[in-house]
């Protein structure tokens, strides 16, 4: 028995993207949008890379949804935006990691007053984490130029996603020399002393708990790293400060 296979099937997204006035939310409403993005569908990736689309994707993950949106779909677009931005497509990583305007828009999320929306904070942290992993030099250079970065991280340490992001900066940056530069920078910014200052009865429970956990994790991660990198002559400055 012989079967006829159409090996050149066109996805519904391709058809949709042929419309001149197609909107980002229309594309995001497609069930297979994440699958097509991860498969690096050229039409879809080119569409997402449009300046307005990239800006809108970052807005979705950093801006509170409108209060009048129905609860069950309130975080639909922020969630899909996060998945698209963290789908590990190199062109998206490149655009986001090298466009200072987009990075500033993303960074602006940290300037909100505590306590941060925990779901949006998790989206923000996930996007910045993948950029730290894929574009470490650009992201470290960008963050070091922000005078208030460490202040804001400590300010929001009560939000678990921000604590996770801080710990990720201590462990996931390669190459080794860049990681050591980051440790020295954070040590100069007195991140250890600031975390210790958070371990006070006067602080709210979340900040107190997360600051304590961060200090414990810094000790554990630093010592693990020392064992993994045999012959490393440079001591971990954060661990030295803690000890």
């Amino acid at each position: 028995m012989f079967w006829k296979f159409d090996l050149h099937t066109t996805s519904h997204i391709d058809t949709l993207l042929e419309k001149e006035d197609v909107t980002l939310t229309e594309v995001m409403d497609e069930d297979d949008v994440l699958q097509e993005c991860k498969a690096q569908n050229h039409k879809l990736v080119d569409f997402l890379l449009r300046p307005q689309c990239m800006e809108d994707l970052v807005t979705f993950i950093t801006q509170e949804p409108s209060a009048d949106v129905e609860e069950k779909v309130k975080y639909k677009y922020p969630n899909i935006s996060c998945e698209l931005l963290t789908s590990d497509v190199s062109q998206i990583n490149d655009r986001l990691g090298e466009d200072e305007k987009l990075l500033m828009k993303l960074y602006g999320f940290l300037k909100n007053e505590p306590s941060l929306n925990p779901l949006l904070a998790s989206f923000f942290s996930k996007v910045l984490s993948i950029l730290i992993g894929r574009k470490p030099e650009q992201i470290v250079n960008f963050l070091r130029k922000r005078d208030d970065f460490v202040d804001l991280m400590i300010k929001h340490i009560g939000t678990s996603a921000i604590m996770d992001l801080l710990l990720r900066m201590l462990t996931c940056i390669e190459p080794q020399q860049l990681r050591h530069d980051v440790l020295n920078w954070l040590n100069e910014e007195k991140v250890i002393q600031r975390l210790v200052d958070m371990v006070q009865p006067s602080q709210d429970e979340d900040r107190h708990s997360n600051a304590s956990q961060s200090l414990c994790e810094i000790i554990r991660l630093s010592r693990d790293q020392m064992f993994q990198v045999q012959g490393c002559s440079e001591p971990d400055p954060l661990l030295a400060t803690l000890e």
Side-chain angles (χ1 to χ4, degrees):
M1 186 180 290
F2 294 95
W3 299 90
K4 287 186 179 178
F5 289 101
D6 178 6
L7 299 176
H8 300 284
T9 54
T10 304
S11 80
H12 191 222
I13 281 185
D14 284 346
T15 309
L16 184 64
L17 289 170
E18 284 169 9
K19 282 173 53 184
E20 280 188 23
D21 57 348
V22 65
T23 65
L24 178 60
T25 50
E26 279 181 283
V27 172
M28 291 165 81
D29 283 334
E30 290 297 310
D31 291 339
D32 59 347
V33 64
L34 298 178
Q35 183 184 331
E36 289 289 321
C37 183
K38 287 175 182 175
Q40 303 202 28
N41 176 317
H42 292 303
K43 274 188 182 177
L44 175 59
V45 172
D46 288 346
F47 175 76
L48 295 175
L49 288 174
R50 292 179 185 178
Q52 190 58 55
C53 287
M54 288 297 292
E55 191 171 329
D56 289 346
L57 287 170
V58 174
T59 299
F60 274 126
I61 65 166
T62 55
Q63 197 167 291
E64 289 281 348
S66 174
D68 56 9
V69 176
E70 194 180 348
E71 196 63 37
K72 66 179 181 181
V73 295
K74 200 170 190 178
Y75 292 101
K76 174 186 174 181
Y77 295 126
N79 183 45
I80 296 172
S81 296
C82 176
E83 292 297 323
L84 289 170
L85 291 172
T86 59
S87 55
D88 213 12
V89 173
S90 59
Q91 300 98 305
I92 293 176
N93 292 340
D94 290 345
R95 179 64 54 84
L96 195 50
E98 293 166 11
D99 186 325
E100 185 132 339
K101 183 183 172 190
L102 287 173
L103 286 175
M104 283 302 296
K105 191 173 187 65
L106 184 64
Y107 185 76
F109 178 72
L110 284 176
K111 294 181 179 286
N112 290 316
E113 286 302 310
S115 58
L116 296 175
N117 178 313
L119 193 54
L120 291 182
S122 72
F123 297 152
F124 163 82
S125 179
K126 190 175 177 184
V127 171
L128 202 53
S129 290
I130 199 165
L131 288 177
I132 287 169
R134 295 291 180 260
K135 316 286 290 180
E137 291 189 6
Q138 288 96 323
I139 300 306
V140 167
N141 286 339
F142 171 81
L143 294 175
R144 290 188 74 162
K145 289 178 187 172
R146 315 273 83 77
D147 292 339
D148 57 354
F149 174 66
V150 176
D151 294 339
L152 292 172
M153 292 293 279
I154 298 298
K155 183 178 181 179
H156 295 303
I157 202 70
T159 302
S160 293
I162 304 303
M163 176 189 73
D164 292 342
L165 179 62
L166 176 62
L167 294 173
R168 192 166 183 82
M169 289 192 68
L170 306 181
T171 55
C172 296
I173 290 180
E174 296 290 344
Q176 190 67 24
Q177 186 55 53
L178 182 61
R179 178 178 177 274
H180 206 78
D181 290 346
V182 168
L183 295 179
N184 280 321
W185 162 48
L186 292 175
N187 197 45
E188 288 163 9
E189 292 286 337
K190 300 196 181 309
V191 73
I192 295 298
Q193 292 90 329
R194 295 190 199 190
L195 286 170
V196 170
D197 285 344
M198 292 287 109
V199 188
Q200 305 289 346
S202 59
Q203 295 292 338
D204 70 68
E205 189 178 343
D206 288 338
R207 296 178 87 191
H208 187 291
S209 171
N210 285 0
S212 306
Q213 190 177 334
S214 296
L215 291 166
C216 292
E217 284 295 297
I218 288 169
I219 294 169
R220 184 183 68 79
L221 294 167
S222 298
R223 289 188 172 154
D224 284 352
Q225 192 74 14
M226 282 168 59
F227 288 121
Q228 287 170 18
V229 186
Q230 293 298 328
C232 180
S233 58
E234 296 180 277
D236 185 315
L238 296 182
L239 184 59
T241 297
L242 255 168
E243 289 174 340

